[in-house]
């Protein structure tokens, strides 16, 4: 982890996609003076499951995965988070992180200590509205994921995961290969299946000319056909 | 739906398990004057997916299921809600319900109109803290469900669902049969499997002397053995 030079919240280019999009100048000034700008290299752990919550993180660039120990000791990826996402919202005191956050790509994050964030919440109730929206959105997404996990076949889940990757990496199907730092093992941990099963369906989708994959390089050649598989 | 006589929030016996547990007298008086006490009979729809959000509901007695249209038109039960649960938290204006709520048993609910609830939220920021806690708890539960759905076998999921029923209905394994108004089709819609599969595992668990089931009557004879199946 590298501590970067502090970027100014007031002029920050990604602020409009964060919970601070409509924040007052006073609130911004407070957050600005309290925050740290950190850089994590690909593969580095940002937060470790089971350790005390120290603060909240906002992803300013890059992609991180939020994962946790699942059943029978297997890891499960809850979601990928990218620019603007807030991670580690602590609602109770003295909580521990119940997930791990790992940088999937080199990522920049802004960090605000728990106590400072709590104080801002106390003094700026409008920030609570933003958090409520954030929780509401995350809950809905997780509910939809639960439905997919329950009702789709493994083949459909792998197709949906590739589609999710394409959205996360903003893959345009007219373009060539994209470097997605999410491997077959990650897809397995996202869908609750095995790497072998994922490889099998990658192979099938390649033979159907829907995707092309070389290691961590991915090319979605036919987004419509990909969607047809899981819709 | 029957409109019941209004119960006083100040003296309500279940208030301490709702978001109003530490509410001030002023807030309680406002909610009290605005709320409706409604009774729904078993099988009645309280909220219908796709209809405009009219307000929030707090379950004061009974059990309701929150379900939604899943993939390929199949219903999926997100959760059961019982005494104290709040349903239908609207975070954005002009939203529609993205789930259906159906009474699994005869249930009493308190209803507060959207606009009244929003006004209370504006004037009593401490209510927002309660909602944040509620969302945080619901999100965690849904994440754990997603993991179970992804990583457990159908057999393990059915065992876990029976355990969930036992907790919801507060089934004590020393006692006899309980009337659980959740049938095999509901368990199928909770786990993303078929009624036939559920019946198969009910049969297996009966032959192992872990449960006894007669229609909607359920007896968990060995809670430890039941837990062993999915742990």
């Amino acid at each position: 982890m590298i501590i970067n030079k502090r970027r100014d919240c007031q002029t920050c280019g990604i602020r409009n996609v964060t919970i601070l999009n409509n924040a007052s100048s006073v609130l911004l000034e407070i957050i600005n003076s309290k925050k740290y700008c950190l850089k994590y290299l690909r593969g580095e752990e940002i937060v470790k499951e089971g350790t005390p919550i120290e603060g909240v993180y906002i992803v300013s660039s890059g992609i991180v995965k939020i994962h946790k120990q699942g059943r029978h000791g297997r890891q499960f990826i809850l979601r990928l988070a990218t620019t603007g996402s807030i991670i580690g919202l602590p609602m109770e005191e003295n909580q521990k992180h119940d997930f791990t956050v790992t940088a999937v790509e080199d990522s920049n994050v802004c960090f605000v200590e728990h106590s400072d964030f709590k104080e801002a919440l106390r003094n700026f109730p409008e920030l609570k509205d933003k958090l409520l929206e954030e929780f509401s959105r995350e809950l809905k997404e997780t509910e939809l994921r639960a439905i997919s996990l329950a009702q789709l076949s493994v083949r459909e889940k792998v197709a949906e995961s590739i589609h999710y990757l394409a959205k996360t990496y903003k893959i345009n199907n007219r373009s060539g290969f994209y470097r997605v730092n999410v491997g077959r093992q990650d897809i397995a941990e996202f869908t609750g299946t095995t790497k072998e099963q994922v490889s099998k369906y990658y192979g099938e989708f390649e033979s159907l000319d829907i995707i092309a994959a070389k290691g961590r390089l991915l090319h979605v050649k036919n987004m419509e056909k990909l969607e047809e598989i899981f819709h």
Side-chain angles (χ1 to χ4, degrees), chain A residues 62-75:
Chain A
I63 296 176
V64 305
K65 64 177 176 183
I66 293 128
H67 51 118
K68 71 184 263 104
Q69 174 113 351
R71 313 303 291 257
H72 314 306
R74 290 158 64 195
Q75 283 291 308

Side-chain angles (χ1 to χ4, degrees), chain A residues 33-47:
Chain A
S33 67
K34 303 285 191 186
K35 76 158 193 275
Y36 297 87
C37 295
L38 310 173
K39 179 173 184 164
Y40 291 86
L41 299 178
R42 178 183 150 200
E44 241 186 308
E45 258 178 23
I46 300 169
V47 154

Side-chain angles (χ1 to χ4, degrees), chain A residues 76-94:
Chain A
F76 182 75
I77 297 177
L78 291 166
R79 68 184 72 88
L80 298 176
T82 179
T83 307
S85 299
I86 184 162
I87 299 164
L89 295 173
M91 284 312 118
E92 298 155 39
E93 298 297 334
N94 305 320

Side-chain angles (χ1 to χ4, degrees), chain A residues 50-54 88-98 114:
Chain A
T51 60
I53 291 176
E54 294 182 333
L89 295 173
M91 284 312 118
E92 298 155 39
E93 298 297 334
N94 305 320
Q95 268 193 348
K96 292 186 172 176
H97 287 292
D98 59 357
H114 194 173

